[in-house]
Amino acid sequence: MLVAEKRFREASGQLDMMLEDARSLNEAEKTENLRNLRRRLSVTLNVNPLRIGVILPISSNHPRISQLVQQTLEGLRLGLYPKPASEKTENTVKTGGVLPELELVFRDSKLNPQTTRNVFRELVEEERVIAVIGPLARKTSEAAAEEAEFWKVPMISLTLTSSIPEIGPFVFRNNQNWKLEVESLVRYARDYYQAKRFVILYNQNREGREKARLFQKSVSDSGGEVVWTEGFQRKQKSFVQPFDAFTGKLRKMSAEEASDLEELGEKEDPVLNFDAVFVAIGSDGMKDLQVIFPYASVYQMQKTVFLGDSGWNNPALPFVPRYQAFRKLVFTDGYTRLRKGSEREYFDKLHEKELFRQQNYSRPSSYAAYAYDTISMLKSLLTEEANHSHGDLKEAMLKVSEFPGVTGILSFNEEGEIQRDMQLLTLRGGDIAAIE
């Protein structure tokens, strides 16, 4: 009752008396529960509302992981920059307050769940952070999420694992949203092409399987039908078997049908009894698409609608063999170089200004953008003193609506999962173009 009324000092005193009583009566379980409650209350009393913890695999030697860490650090660093008056955009004035100068405190997860638990506790108990950003990997994010729930401290994971927010109400996530990807594709195929029957081709890894599952559910929910689902291995050389299967060429003909075809001097053509094909190649799957398109051409699928996941949004796409033969290519992503708006323009300019001197400079990645949006949202919310406790900040995050980020218009759903407007894309004139 006292905690609900935010009378934390009185609650702390009452807890001390209850703890003494439990100890004197040798009630071990009650003593442990009260001790944990007192630790959490102490954290609440001593929180620094302008200090944010960051947990990343900083010491990893894996090239790709090190790259993602570097990109994330770039986004966080740029998000701390104060905006000049001439560059102030919607999210700097919505709150009506002055954007605070936040302090970031970094810890290394070492890609180890137990290490992650330990450093999370350090950030909460010793550094007194108001929130935690990270980690990146699935297992460390799960460990951190469990700690976030124990301490009741808001955490925004940057992992690809969409199930992380399900661990509890203090856990949020900001990265690609595969569910939004497939829903936007199914909706467009249904509304624009009147597609009702679908084939799914997916990479047989965690990302591909999950996208195939989500796509099938979205089709079913919209009243459509998935007539065939087929997985493939990364860098698979031949697609004869799957294409023969879903085009009906593996259908066993009766002796009479075979005789008729032979008499007429005809061969069996593919049977395209579907409206669209969803191809989930995932990240780094462009080489698979380079094999799939030539097969689709051989199987006379030039008029078929092809739907692609965010893995298609790659500068190499216009160089895929035979893509010119296909007129109905639609894919989507939450972060593209084509997205317009003042936030995106400011972010791109700032990124180039601060980082172009780096060797092999390249434009900001999606991880830099997700990190930038995450710190920008927290900075905006922390302008309000009413959000300077863990519980109040968590509630404020759930109420974020139409926040103008560099990755789109952002909000969190009730589970803590990021929501953004997806951008539909196609190939036009030998380049990736937005579908208006």
Side-chain angles (χ1 to χ4, degrees):
M1 187 69 175
L2 292 173
V3 171
E5 295 175 359
K6 299 186 180 181
R7 293 157 61 187
F8 299 121
R9 298 290 175 188
E10 294 176 58
S12 180
Q14 197 168 90
L15 261 179
D16 287 339
M17 289 189 291
M18 293 170 66
L19 188 56
E20 278 301 314
D21 290 342
R23 282 172 177 160
S24 64
L25 296 172
N26 291 320
E27 294 177 324
E29 185 178 351
K30 186 175 181 180
T31 298
E32 183 62 23
N33 290 338
L34 288 170
R35 186 182 290 118
N36 287 336
L37 185 56
R38 188 173 66 173
R39 288 170 70 193
R40 291 198 290 266
L41 188 57
S42 176
V43 165
T44 300
L45 285 168
N46 295 295
V47 65
N48 183 334
L50 300 183
R51 185 176 291 166
I52 295 173
V54 180
I55 302 177
L56 297 170
I58 297 169
S59 61
S60 174
N61 293 321
H62 189 283
R64 179 55 178 159
I65 295 174
S66 297
Q67 183 184 45
L68 294 180
V69 170
Q70 183 58 41
Q71 292 168 356
T72 301
L73 292 174
E74 288 174 3
L76 293 173
R77 173 188 166 195
L78 296 178
L80 291 178
Y81 275 57
K83 285 183 178 166
S86 60
E87 297 286 359
K88 289 191 185 297
T89 51
E90 286 183 56
N91 71 346
T92 62
V93 297
K94 256 187 171 181
T95 60
V98 177
L99 291 177
E101 292 188 12
L102 300 179
E103 176 189 357
L104 299 184
V105 182
F106 294 90
R107 290 292 186 272
D108 187 358
S109 72
K110 299 183 180 179
L111 290 176
N112 181 288
Q114 188 54 50
T115 299
T116 301
R117 292 180 187 277
N118 294 340
V119 298
F120 196 105
R121 292 169 194 165
E122 284 180 22
L123 289 170
V124 173
E125 291 194 283
E126 299 175 20
E127 301 295 343
R128 302 178 292 118
V129 298
I130 184 70
V132 173
I133 297 173
L136 296 179
R138 176 175 62 86
K139 290 184 179 179
T140 50
S141 289
E142 288 171 347
E146 289 170 2
E147 290 298 315
E149 283 306 304
F150 175 82
W151 293 105
K152 307 301 179 190
V153 173
M155 160 189 150
I156 306 179
S157 173
L158 302 176
T159 182
L160 278 170
T161 305
S162 59
S163 60
I164 293 297
E166 296 172 8
I167 292 176
F170 280 82
V171 183
F172 297 77
R173 191 184 79 93
N174 184 13
N175 202 307
Q176 289 181 8
N177 189 316
W178 298 338
K179 186 171 183 283
L180 293 181
E181 278 187 29
V182 301
E183 286 178 346
S184 65
L185 290 170
V186 171
R187 185 165 52 249
Y188 186 82
R190 180 196 64 203
D191 295 348
Y192 191 78
Y193 290 112
Q194 289 76 53
K196 294 181 179 179
R197 295 166 62 82
F198 297 84
V199 167
I200 300 174
L201 280 176
Y202 66 95
N203 195 320
Q204 288 183 322
N205 58 15
R206 184 171 65 89
E207 179 178 354
R209 285 190 292 270
E210 180 64 7
K211 286 182 176 178
R213 184 189 71 80
L214 291 169
F215 190 90
Q216 184 150 14
K217 183 178 186 306
S218 183
V219 168
S220 177
D221 290 346
S222 65
E225 178 186 4
V226 173
V227 299
W228 197 271
T229 300
E230 189 80 28
F232 60 86
Q233 299 294 328
R234 178 60 51 90
K235 298 181 181 178
Q236 185 168 312
K237 300 296 184 184
S238 173
F239 282 80
V240 170
Q241 174 72 23
F243 273 80
D244 274 357
F246 66 72
T247 60
K249 293 195 73 173
L250 288 183
R251 179 180 64 85
K252 189 174 182 180
M253 286 190 294
S254 68
E256 186 178 349
E257 287 175 321
S259 175
D260 288 344
L261 282 176
E262 185 178 357
E263 183 180 333
L264 293 168
E266 297 289 338
K267 61 181 181 179
E268 185 186 14
D269 286 329
V271 179
L272 307 181
N273 64 338
F274 46 85
D275 306 311
V277 179
F278 171 56
V279 185
I281 60 173
S283 55
D284 302 323
M286 193 50 56
K287 288 186 178 179
D288 300 314
L289 207 56
Q290 290 172 354
V291 180
I292 290 171
F293 268 168
Y295 272 92
S297 179
V298 169
Y299 282 76
Q300 304 172 26
M301 298 172 64
Q302 288 86 347
K303 295 182 180 180
T304 302
V305 178
F306 275 84
L307 307 173
D309 65 347
S310 53
W312 287 42
N313 185 26
N314 187 303
L317 182 62
F319 302 98
V320 169
R322 306 221 192 158
Y323 89 84
Q324 299 92 337
F326 299 89
R327 294 289 177 264
K328 300 174 182 178
L329 302 180
V330 181
F331 52 104
T332 188
D333 202 351
Y335 178 73
T336 81
R337 63 181 178 80
L338 300 173
R339 192 176 287 280
K340 306 298 182 185
S342 56
E343 280 295 326
R344 180 59 184 269
E345 291 172 12
Y346 171 74
F347 175 63
D348 287 345
K349 288 178 184 176
L350 182 63
H351 190 276
E352 183 176 1
K353 175 186 174 185
E354 296 299 325
L355 302 171
F356 81 97
R357 293 184 183 85
Q358 291 183 356
Q359 188 176 10
N360 301 320
Y361 171 79
S362 59
R363 288 180 298 192
S365 71
S366 59
Y367 273 79
Y370 298 140
Y372 180 89
D373 278 346
T374 298
I375 198 70
S376 297
M377 276 193 285
L378 289 174
K379 187 193 292 188
S380 179
L381 292 173
L382 291 170
T383 60
E384 302 291 344
E385 193 172 337
N387 298 331
H388 284 187
S389 73
H390 298 128
D392 289 325
L393 179 60
K394 183 259 290 185
E395 292 300 320
M397 290 166 65
L398 289 171
K399 294 175 183 175
V400 168
S401 176
E402 297 186 357
F403 183 89
V406 302
T407 62
I409 305 301
L410 306 176
S411 63
F412 288 106
N413 66 13
E414 59 185 12
E415 285 83 32
E417 176 66 26
I418 196 69
Q419 305 293 294
R420 59 170 56 88
D421 54 320
M422 303 298 294
Q423 188 157 31
L424 290 167
L425 306 164
T426 189
L427 279 174
R428 189 182 301 130
D431 201 2
I432 293 175
I435 296 176
E436 302 299 338

